[in-house]
Amino acid sequence: MTAQHAEEPAELVPRPEMTFPALRAALARVASSRLAEFQADRDSAFTAATQHASFNPIRMFQVKWATEIEIERRPALAARYRAALDGANTFDRDDPRWRAAMDECMAVRNEARAAVTCD
């Protein structure tokens, strides 16, 4: 008898709303090791928003972390991103494969950002 492997889900968690609690909860499920970074970025965003009397730093924070979560919550997208990062960190900059890896990193990030900012 052969064991059948369950297919990996297309999404680990639903796409969160663009609120701090929803983003934090989703990040805790897909990349909990980054929670301290999330909190530090949040603090910086609030400080910048206060200093400049603008909501733009908060919006940028939300889009940045929604994009990070979008990549991590979709295993296939995360695998593409990790493979591209590995190539970017392995190949010399004058190797054409380095440029291809960097282009793939940007393509993944653009796909994730488009998914979270399409509203």
Side-chain angles (χ1 to χ4, degrees), residues 38-117:
F38 174 89
Q39 186 63 40
D41 276 1
R42 179 184 147 169
D43 293 347
S44 294
F46 268 99
T47 299
T50 302
Q51 289 174 341
H52 302 291
S54 171
F55 286 109
N56 285 337
I58 294 170
R59 179 65 180 157
M60 289 171 36
F61 165 88
Q62 290 171 311
V63 170
K64 171 190 173 178
W65 283 99
T67 301
E68 296 295 329
I69 292 163
E70 184 68 18
I71 292 169
E72 294 300 328
R73 74 183 199 89
R74 295 169 48 192
L77 195 62
R80 276 179 54 205
Y81 191 61
R82 284 178 184 54
L85 280 176
D86 185 49
N89 289 320
T90 302
F91 303 123
D92 291 329
R93 285 183 174 234
D94 53 348
D95 186 327
R97 294 175 295 177
W98 180 84
R99 173 49 43 207
M102 292 299 292
D103 289 346
E104 179 66 0
C105 285
M106 287 304 301
V108 167
R109 294 195 71 73
N110 289 341
E111 179 180 334
R113 185 172 304 232
V116 301
T117 58

